[in-house]
């Protein structure tokens, strides 16, 4: 496929000298370990100021190990649903700018739940995802992260869930986005089955769209998908070692996305604890994911790669809680409110860990506020890219200086989310909305109801008290900042189904409801 990327301008600090007495510093290997639908509380690692019952429920010893050996971020954010996060990671763009604002699957088509909404007409967002070439309709054209790394000599491996482009588009296949290897990645965002005995969904009539591709050697075998992907990733790294190149491994597990299916290696212990059967299966999937992390870390140690490998652990959105879980809906991420699909903290705040030997202080904790598009410039800087002339405008900011201890968070940097779409379920913070966090303050603007919520997250992490009426000046400030961002990136807004008019920007609505005396 012919690519139309612009020229890359770079400076590598990792220069290999021909002088025999000089120390050779090679570029670090980079691993992004991305979990699907993993909530902030789905781990035995506490990301709050204290442990909770959820931290005691889950068993993730390898996340604990990664936290001991690296840095824990307590305020790391993704987006409410999966594809927007993944495209932001691969492009460095904020969701409102790249316009892949909902999850992708079918070419040129809105999601079914968006086609006949009660009160909103949704914009035709970039339903085809991201594209490596210009001119593709309803797709964002950008320099993919993997391509940028590949261009400077990295061997790039994609393993697991892609979900970057709709079926039948170039972006569906990671090989078109700068990856040398693609293992099991395609258009769908969930597996039909996690079980090798069910061929990971292959062969099920009418379910082909969800069947996991490319793992035929495991068909009919008693193996969980998470384990199969891990074995394949390690096999790919063995191949990389023969090339003598630095590698970028993007290990994007399908777990812990639905269908919730028990990983038999770990299920019994959770059933014995008396957990609801669905929650026991879910916990077993979490532990299976954690074993994968441990296997990768062990491999790096065995191959003497650990000292020159950066591991970034992240989730793509908040933990599922509105449906499909055992117990009371919207409670699975407490003390955070709500879950996947929501603009509340339970839908966007994620567990994040980073390890980089001799660069990141072991056992360190950072309250620096990170958002997913920050990964793009950070990873490029880690790889030694001094400057990169990209097609797209980069919204993310590198947090490398935070990792190395050279800088802590200074000032107030606003973070933005935009979801002019429909996810489906109901619940706190779920629905078409735009959001800003600035310092401790967070404003959510709901498109359908035209209502706003203002929270102080330092005092109220559970978002229990709407302070909109109590702090009108702060609400106005955030409404102005959010509006300016939406205008600057030319964000799409829904229309009112009854009037046909575009939904007002937040500051316009604020001024209508709060006229100056």
């Amino acid at each position: 496929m012919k690519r139309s990327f612009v020229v890359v301008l770079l400076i590598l600090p990792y220069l290999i000298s021909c002088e025999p007495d000089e120390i050779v510093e090679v570029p670090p290997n980079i691993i992004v370990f991305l979990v699907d639908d993993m909530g902030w509380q789905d781990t035995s690692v506490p990301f709050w100021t204290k442990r909770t019952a959820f931290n005691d429920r889950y068993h993730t010893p390898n996340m604990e190990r990664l936290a001991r050996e690296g840095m824990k971020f307590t305020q790391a954010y993704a987006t409410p649903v999966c594809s927007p996060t993944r495209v932001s990671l691969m492009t460095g763009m904020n969701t409102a700018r790249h316009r892949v604002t909902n999850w992708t699957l079918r070419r040129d088509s809105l999601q079914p739940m968006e086609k006949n909404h009660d009160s909103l007409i949704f914009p035709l967002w970039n339903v085809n995802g991201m594209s490596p070439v210009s001119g593709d309709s309803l797709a964002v054209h950008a320099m993919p992260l993997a391509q940028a790394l590949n261009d400077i000599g990295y061997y790039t491996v994609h393993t697991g869930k892609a979900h970057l482009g709709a079926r039948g588009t170039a972006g569906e296949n990671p090989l078109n986005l700068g990856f040398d290897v693609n293992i099991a990645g395609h258009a769908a965002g969930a597996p039909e089955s996690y079980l090798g005995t069910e061929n990971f969904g292959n062969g099920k009539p009418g379910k082909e769209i969800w069947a996991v591709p490319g793992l035929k050697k495991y068909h009919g075998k008693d193996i969980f998908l998470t384990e199969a992907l891990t074995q394949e990733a390690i096999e790919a790294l063995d191949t990389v070692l023969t090339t003598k190149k630095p590698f970028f491994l993007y290990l994007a597990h399908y777990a812990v996305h639905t269908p919730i299916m028990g990983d038999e290696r770990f299920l019994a212990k959770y059933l014995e604890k008396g957990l609801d059967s669905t929650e026991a299966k879910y916990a077993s999937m979490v532990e299976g994911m954690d074993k994968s992390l441990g296997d990768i870390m062990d491999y790096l140690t065995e191959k003497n790669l650990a000292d020159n490998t950066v591991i970034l652990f992240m989730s793509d959105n908040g933990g599922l809680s509105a449906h499909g879980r055992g117990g009371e809906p919207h409670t699975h991420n407490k003390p955070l409110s709500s879950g996947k699909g929501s603009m509340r903290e339970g839908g966007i705040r994620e567990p994040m860990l980073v390890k980089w030997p001799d660069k990141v202080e072991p056992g360190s904790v950072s309250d620096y506020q990170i958002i997913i598009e920050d990964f793009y410039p950070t990873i490029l800087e880690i790889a030694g890219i001094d400057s990169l002339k990209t097609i797209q405008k980069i919204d993310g900011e590198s947090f490398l200086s935070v990792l190395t201890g050279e800088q802590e968070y200074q000032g107030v940097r606003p973070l933005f989310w935009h979801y002019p779409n429909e996810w489906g379920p109901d619940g706190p913070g779920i629905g078409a909305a735009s959001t800003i966090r600035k310092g401790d303050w967070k404003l959510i603007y709901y498109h359908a109801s035209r209502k706003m919520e203002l929270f102080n997250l330092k005092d109220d992490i559970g978002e229990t008290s709407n302070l909109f009426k109590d702090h009108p000046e702060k609400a106005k400030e955030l409404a102005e900042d959010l509006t300016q961002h939406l205008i600057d990136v030319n964000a799409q807004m829904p229309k009112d189904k009854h009037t046909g008019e575009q939904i007002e920007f937040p500051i316009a609505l604020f001024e209508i409801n709060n006229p100056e005396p």
Side-chain angles (χ1 to χ4, degrees):
M1 172 170 291
K2 184 178 179 181
R3 298 186 176 95
S4 56
F5 299 121
V6 296
V7 176
V8 178
L9 303 176
L10 58 93
I11 299 174
L12 287 175
Y14 309 101
L15 299 178
I16 300 176
S17 173
C18 295
E19 296 296 327
D21 295 331
E22 288 194 24
I23 297 175
V24 177
E25 185 176 7
V26 297
N29 305 305
I30 301 168
I31 297 176
V32 173
F33 193 101
L34 188 71
V35 191
D36 195 5
D37 283 10
M38 182 184 183
W40 195 60
Q41 288 277 52
D42 293 344
T43 172
S44 51
V45 178
F47 284 84
W48 196 25
T49 54
K50 56 186 176 182
R51 291 188 66 82
T52 68
F54 286 118
N55 298 143
D56 293 332
R57 168 185 292 187
Y58 297 106
H59 185 55
T60 56
N62 295 296
M63 286 185 67
E64 294 176 25
R65 171 183 168 191
L66 191 59
R68 288 194 303 270
E69 297 177 1
M71 179 177 288
K72 176 170 68 174
F73 286 83
T74 64
Q75 301 188 79
Y77 290 96
T79 73
V81 295
C82 42
S83 292
T85 286
R86 292 162 192 272
V87 173
S88 288
L89 171 63
M90 287 295 163
T91 66
M93 303 168 75
N94 182 261
T95 305
R97 188 187 299 275
H98 65 59
R99 294 187 172 187
V100 187
T101 47
N102 208 356
W103 58 279
T104 59
L105 184 59
R106 294 174 177 83
R107 186 170 186 163
D108 297 333
S109 178
L110 293 175
Q111 297 296 355
M113 68 286 292
E114 294 181 323
K115 293 180 179 179
N116 192 26
H117 192 269
D118 290 342
S119 59
L120 296 176
I121 300 172
F122 295 105
L124 192 57
W125 49 280
N126 279 337
V127 297
N128 292 333
M130 64 180 296
S131 174
V133 296
S134 62
D136 281 359
S137 64
L138 300 177
V140 59
H141 178 215
M143 165 69 84
L145 174 62
Q147 186 65 58
L149 293 171
N150 192 269
D151 285 348
I152 63 166
Y154 273 77
Y155 193 95
T156 51
V157 179
H158 179 285
T159 306
K161 173 174 170 174
H163 210 196
L164 294 164
R167 294 185 79 198
T169 68
E172 172 186 17
N173 188 345
L175 294 180
N176 294 328
L177 300 175
F179 286 98
D180 291 306
V181 175
N182 171 35
I183 301 165
H186 65 144
E192 174 58 27
S193 173
Y194 280 94
L195 305 180
T197 53
E198 296 183 354
N199 301 335
F200 308 121
N202 289 275
K204 287 190 177 183
K207 301 294 185 180
E208 294 83 2
I209 194 172
W210 303 105
V212 180
L215 298 173
K216 289 185 179 180
K217 73 181 184 183
Y218 300 100
H219 288 187
K221 295 185 178 181
D222 184 16
I223 189 170
F224 207 74
L225 177 58
T226 307
E227 179 67 16
L229 292 174
T230 306
Q231 291 184 18
E232 287 296 295
I234 288 174
E235 186 173 318
L237 292 186
D238 276 337
T239 300
V240 175
L241 297 185
T242 66
T243 70
K244 305 298 183 181
K245 291 183 176 181
F247 64 78
F248 170 56
L249 170 63
Y250 178 54
L251 181 48
H253 277 296
Y254 284 92
V256 292
H257 197 288
T258 55
I260 297 176
M261 305 178 76
D263 188 330
E264 295 293 337
R265 297 172 296 172
F266 310 106
L267 180 59
K269 65 194 288 186
Y270 296 105
L271 291 171
E272 290 169 2
K273 286 183 177 181
L275 285 181
D276 169 278
S277 61
T278 300
E279 292 306 283
K281 291 175 183 177
Y282 186 83
S284 74
M285 293 173 73
V286 170
E287 187 164 352
M289 172 281 301
D290 184 79
K291 178 185 180 297
S292 172
L293 176 63
D295 289 346
I296 295 296
M297 294 174 71
D298 289 344
Y299 175 86
L300 296 175
T301 300
E302 291 165 6
K303 299 295 183 179
N304 296 317
L305 298 170
D307 289 345
N308 196 40
T309 300
V310 185
I311 302 175
L312 301 100
F313 180 103
M314 186 64 166
S315 174
D316 70 341
N317 49 249
L320 182 67
S321 191
H323 63 91
R325 298 288 300 272
E328 184 181 352
H330 316 304
T331 64
H332 300 86
N333 300 295
K334 282 187 172 291
L336 304 185
S337 172
S338 201
K340 178 180 179 177
S342 173
M343 286 292 190
R344 296 283 188 90
E345 291 293 285
I348 56 176
R349 192 184 286 212
E350 314 302 336
M352 177 181 165
L353 301 165
V354 181
K355 176 187 174 182
W356 190 2
D358 296 327
K359 301 288 186 180
V360 172
E361 182 181 355
S364 55
V365 179
S366 176
D367 296 326
Y368 192 93
Q369 296 170 18
I370 300 294
I371 193 165
I372 189 64
E373 53 260 34
D374 295 340
F375 275 58
Y376 186 100
T378 305
I379 289 171
L380 294 183
E381 192 173 359
I382 287 171
I385 295 180
D386 181 78
S387 62
L388 177 66
K389 199 170 185 179
T390 58
I391 302 156
Q392 71 271 29
K393 165 72 174 176
I394 305 300
D395 296 301
E397 297 182 8
S398 174
F399 53 86
L400 179 59
S401 60
V402 179
L403 292 175
T404 57
E406 297 171 22
Q407 172 186 324
E408 278 300 328
Y409 180 66
Q410 297 176 352
V412 178
R413 171 201 177 196
L415 306 180
F416 300 100
W417 295 262
H418 186 55
Y419 187 72
N421 306 86
E422 175 66 22
W423 183 51
D426 295 323
I430 296 176
S434 303
T435 301
I436 177 175
R437 176 170 182 183
K438 188 176 182 182
D440 295 326
W441 292 92
K442 178 180 174 183
L443 179 78
I444 306 175
Y445 170 49
Y446 297 99
H447 300 163
S449 66
R450 317 297 211 281
K451 292 183 179 178
M452 296 187 190
E453 293 177 329
L454 180 69
F455 301 108
N456 186 298
L457 297 179
K458 182 178 181 180
D459 299 332
D460 181 23
I461 195 172
E463 296 169 294
T464 61
S465 300
N466 183 2
L467 303 177
F468 184 81
K469 293 183 179 179
D470 298 328
H471 295 273
E473 291 185 0
K474 179 58 68 174
K476 182 179 181 181
E477 174 192 336
L478 267 61
E480 288 176 335
D481 290 346
L482 178 56
T483 297
Q484 192 59 55
H485 169 73
L486 296 174
I487 292 172
D488 288 345
V489 302
N490 194 25
Q492 295 175 299
M493 296 293 287
K495 292 181 179 179
D496 187 299
K497 194 169 189 177
H498 304 294
T499 67
E501 297 295 322
Q502 178 179 295
I503 299 301
E504 303 91 340
F505 284 120
I507 189 59
L509 185 67
F510 181 92
E511 291 173 346
I512 290 171
N513 295 329
N514 300 271
E516 294 290 340

